[in-house]
Amino acid sequence: MQKNKLLEIYDKLFERYSYQHWWPAVTKDEIVIGAILTQNTAWSNVEKAVENLKNSGICSLEAVFYTDIDSIKENIKPAGFFNQKSVYLKNISEFFVKNGSFNKLSRLDTNRLRSELLKIKGIGKETADSILLYAFGRAVFVVDAYTKRLILRHNLLKSNDYDTIQDFFEDNLPKDVELFNEYHALIVKNAKEFCRTKPKCSGCPLEGV
DNA sequence: CACCAGGAATGTA
DNA sequence: TACATTCATGGT
């Protein structure tokens, strides 16, 4: 029994699933592009879209910026919402190209970088934080629908507000990039297995936590 | 056939 | 602030 519920939950998830290694050995550009494409979309469909971009030689933010939007649409079609996601990709690629890409943007502190990302149309809190964590390596906790449901079901908070839940994680965990990286991935992994349409809790590593 | 996935923008009250 | 609607493909 630990006094820190969040660490207890993490330990049980990690014990069951081990490392998820999200976005390993891929370019940062691909992570940013994937973060947009995965908005409310199954990851298997994102992989098809990314593969199309690679085959077309335009799986980079600079390439996206200089490629006509109709070609972008055609390539990312499998990921769904291609009409708006193509615009979103254009928006963020413009941001990176016009601001010196990772080289210069990495000099900004995390809060400043986050607020700049949130100004881009198509980048909400979860996408911004995913980019900060997985592409920039900043210790920012990503809150998604699964995370909210986990917090509410275990009665750890009353509010389901994004910032409230994010603060809860960041204030009760060591600010460790690898920990935040794995934790978010483990929550998704566990939710997919046990919390689909009908919550089947039998066998869940968080049973009784 | 229905449901929804590693959300965000927009509109309504 | 708190919900509701729209966007689109592909797997179960």
Side-chain angles (χ1 to χ4, degrees):
Chain A
M1 275 289 274
Q2 300 185 28
K3 53 187 176 183
N4 189 325
K5 276 281 189 183
L6 293 181
L7 281 178
E8 181 182 0
I9 289 173
Y10 177 80
D11 287 342
K12 291 197 180 300
L13 290 176
F14 184 81
E15 183 182 1
R16 172 72 68 99
Y17 304 111
S18 189
Y19 292 103
Q20 297 304 300
H21 50 72
W22 272 20
W23 279 314
V26 300
T27 67
K28 296 178 201 169
D29 283 25
E30 186 177 329
I31 295 174
V32 173
I33 291 169
I36 300 289
L37 294 178
T38 196
Q39 290 171 354
N40 199 43
T41 299
W43 186 249
S44 57
N45 289 348
V46 176
E47 289 180 312
K48 293 170 184 168
V50 169
E51 194 60 26
N52 288 342
L53 291 172
K54 283 182 178 175
N55 292 334
S56 299
I58 52 177
C59 194
S60 74
L61 292 167
E62 188 177 354
V64 167
F65 180 72
Y66 289 110
T67 300
D68 66 285
I69 195 162
D70 286 331
S71 298
I72 302 294
K73 282 186 187 178
E74 200 57 34
N75 280 276
I76 70 172
K77 217 164 196 173
F81 304 128
F82 52 85
N83 284 309
Q84 35 190 13
K85 285 179 179 175
S86 58
V87 174
Y88 296 169
L89 286 175
K90 277 292 188 181
N91 291 344
I92 197 165
S93 69
E94 177 183 17
F95 173 76
F96 272 79
V97 168
K98 294 190 173 178
N99 289 282
S101 194
F102 286 94
N103 240 336
K104 289 190 177 176
L105 288 174
S106 295
R107 299 174 191 164
L108 299 177
D109 64 87
T110 300
N111 286 332
R112 173 72 192 284
L113 189 50
R114 185 173 195 261
S115 66
E116 292 300 322
L117 287 171
L118 289 175
K119 288 178 187 172
I120 303 169
K121 187 179 291 183
I123 309 297
K125 291 176 180 175
E126 186 182 339
T127 304
D129 291 338
S130 292
I131 291 171
L132 286 170
L133 177 63
Y134 292 100
F136 283 91
R138 304 298 173 90
V140 173
F141 202 92
V142 178
V143 177
D144 65 348
Y146 297 134
T147 310
K148 291 185 177 182
R149 188 166 59 190
L150 173 70
I151 290 298
L152 294 181
R153 281 194 185 170
H154 290 265
N155 296 316
L156 298 176
L157 287 176
K158 288 176 290 185
S159 169
N160 67 334
D161 173 68
Y162 188 100
D163 296 314
T164 304
I165 295 177
Q166 184 177 52
D167 288 343
F168 180 63
F169 276 92
E170 295 186 1
D171 291 343
N172 292 283
L173 291 173
K175 292 199 185 310
D176 186 302
V177 175
E178 298 308 317
L179 173 65
F180 288 3
N181 182 325
E182 277 303 319
Y183 207 150
H184 176 240
L186 284 168
I187 289 174
V188 174
K189 172 75 176 177
N190 179 61
K192 280 178 169 177
E193 185 173 359
F194 290 99
C195 303
R196 284 264 170 176
T197 48
K198 300 169 186 170
K200 49 168 186 175
C201 297
S202 178
C204 177
L206 300 183
E207 223 178 346
V209 174

